[in-house]
Amino acid sequence: MLAGANVVLPTGTVVGGQVIVDGTRITGTAPETARVIDVSTHWLVPGFVDIHNHGGGGASFTSGTVDEVLTGIRTHRLHGTTTLVASTVTGDMDFLAQRAGLLSELAEQGEIAGIHFEGPFISPCRKGAHSEALLRDPDPAAVRKLIDAARGRAKMVTLATELPGGIDSVRLLVEHGVIAAIGHTDATYEQTKTAIDAGATVATHLFNAMPTLGHRHPGPVAALLEDERITVELINDGTHLHPAALELAFHHAGADRVALITDAMDAAGFGDGRYWLGPLEVEVADGVARLVEGGSIAGSTLTLDRAFQRAVTVDRLPVESVVAALSANPARLLGMDDRIGSLEPGKDADLVLLDADFALKGVMRRGEWVVDPQLG
């Protein structure tokens, strides 16, 4: 039993609260033999859920071996991410299908929550750190190939829905229970609304890799922010977004429609240097990843504990709103909120312990300490 903390629950924060863990689950009643760990002055929040993550710890989810992928997963667990969706980047279709097979096995083993395909069905006008030579229109047959290769473990596909086949592909994804995400898009406001009406429910890293918000041509940003059916991804690393843009998104979408993500690449939790993001070389300097050729931002080196701390200390967002964006909202989006995303009896014992300054001190996943707080 963890006692004395500020416990963030779906109903609000309980000061001097407690969380009881029995085996792999949170329970409402403590066994008589329960060990009590005093976590006074600390914060207890649910384990973080990252729905957009390309790697970490020097390892890539797009190209690494099974052991390397596991290294990336474990790196993010050390930073509080107890549930993770592995994201790929644009590549040859046969190669992506092969990667889907490898990643689906890890999903079946419970190491990841599923697969996110970011590309190749994106706009060359907004390609960011994706190889233009490998981009293609979102033909439903090609989209179906990746879904089938994932063996029921595909969770999300990012599309430029204005491209030929885009709307039909959104409908296909919805039919197969896969999230259709609008991103790396050059769509107009009207085209974006059409995609939402067809069933798209996520904005891939809002503001990034899409037209800016304009007063005569509002573009996708306005459509995505205003529609209650959309969850907006935000990368809160201080590089991808100005604090005012973050505040704008939280204000207009509301805290229950934001998912804070990392969009992390290999260097997350590892360090500066040269890396590969798919077929493209990346230089990481001072924690910022950019393509060697062209200089585009190439994912991030963010971990979700840093995103949390920045959100509450720099951006001054309410702790409860940040917890929703890091845990409850992405869990609900994945259809996993019956098991994860909040500190409630019956759910997995996934939790993060933070000190009074919101620095990470402990991580528990399914009842076992990944990072032991060693509080005595």
Side-chain angles (χ1 to χ4, degrees):
M1 180 168 65
L2 303 168
N6 299 310
V7 181
V8 182
L9 303 175
T11 53
T13 299
V14 176
V15 178
Q18 62 184 27
V19 174
I20 304 165
V21 175
D22 187 5
T24 63
R25 299 294 182 96
I26 297 170
T27 185
T29 306
E32 291 183 7
T33 58
R35 176 190 173 207
V36 178
I37 301 176
D38 182 8
V39 289
S40 299
T41 74
H42 287 65
W43 291 82
L44 269 176
V45 301
F48 307 144
V49 181
D50 194 353
I51 60 172
H52 188 154
N53 188 317
H54 298 280
S60 167
F61 298 151
T62 294
S63 58
T65 64
V66 169
D67 285 344
E68 288 170 339
V69 172
L70 288 171
T71 294
I73 294 166
R74 289 165 185 158
T75 296
H76 285 282
R77 284 182 190 164
L78 293 173
H79 293 275
T81 299
T82 51
T83 301
L84 178 150
V85 174
S87 303
T88 62
V89 296
T90 294
D92 175 84
M93 286 293 293
D94 289 337
F95 176 75
L96 288 175
Q98 179 188 29
R99 292 304 298 177
L102 181 149
L103 293 171
S104 67
E105 290 181 11
L106 293 174
E108 289 159 9
Q109 295 166 16
E111 297 290 347
I112 59 175
I115 306 165
H116 164 219
F117 297 100
E118 187 182 20
F121 312 114
I122 61 176
S123 172
C125 302
R126 305 288 175 177
K127 65 182 184 299
H130 291 254
S131 171
E132 185 168 356
L134 295 172
L135 299 182
R136 58 184 298 160
D137 290 339
D139 173 61
V143 174
R144 177 65 185 268
K145 177 178 179 176
L146 294 187
I147 296 173
D148 289 345
R151 303 201 302 261
R153 301 294 177 170
K155 285 292 185 182
M156 183 163 64
V157 178
T158 294
L159 308 163
T161 53
E162 75 278 8
L163 296 176
I167 298 302
D168 286 339
S169 290
V170 169
R171 296 192 179 106
L172 173 74
L173 292 169
V174 173
E175 288 171 8
H176 286 81
V178 180
I179 297 163
I182 300 171
H184 288 275
T185 176
D186 203 40
T188 64
Y189 173 88
E190 292 77 15
Q191 288 171 326
T192 305
K193 294 294 289 183
T194 299
I196 296 169
D197 288 338
T201 54
V202 167
T204 294
H205 45 52
L206 186 74
F207 298 110
N208 295 109
M210 60 182 64
T212 56
L213 182 66
H215 65 291
R216 292 193 180 96
H217 302 285
V221 172
L224 294 164
L225 278 177
E226 73 182 10
D227 200 299
E228 293 184 357
R229 294 169 289 184
I230 293 293
T231 298
V232 297
E233 294 182 349
L234 299 174
I235 309 170
N236 191 27
D237 61 353
T239 298
H240 281 79
L241 295 175
H242 189 282
L246 184 85
E247 195 279 333
L248 177 75
F250 266 91
H251 177 75
H252 285 279
D256 61 342
R257 286 181 45 220
V258 173
L260 291 175
I261 61 164
T262 61
D263 193 16
M265 46 77 72
D266 311 19
F270 200 68
D272 291 352
R274 290 282 180 110
Y275 298 86
W276 291 92
L277 188 61
L280 303 178
E281 193 171 12
V282 176
E283 175 78 28
V284 179
D286 297 325
V288 178
R290 294 186 179 275
L291 291 182
V292 171
E293 206 172 306
S296 292
I297 295 176
S300 85
T301 63
L302 187 63
T303 52
L304 285 183
D305 58 332
R306 286 170 45 214
F308 190 113
Q309 189 174 39
R310 179 180 176 85
V312 295
T313 62
V314 176
D315 302 305
R316 302 294 181 182
L317 292 170
V319 173
E320 295 81 4
S321 296
V322 179
V323 168
L326 282 167
S327 303
N329 300 343
R332 183 176 62 251
L333 193 66
L334 295 174
M336 299 176 68
D337 52 327
D338 61 329
R339 286 181 37 218
I340 62 171
S342 60
L343 300 178
E344 295 178 275
K347 294 195 176 183
D348 289 352
D350 293 352
L351 55 87
V352 176
L353 182 68
L354 306 164
D355 68 14
D357 297 318
F358 300 99
L360 185 142
K361 292 300 178 182
V363 180
M364 179 181 286
R365 182 174 186 268
R366 297 179 185 173
E368 294 187 1
W369 289 111
V370 178
V371 177
D372 193 329
Q374 297 180 339
L375 294 171

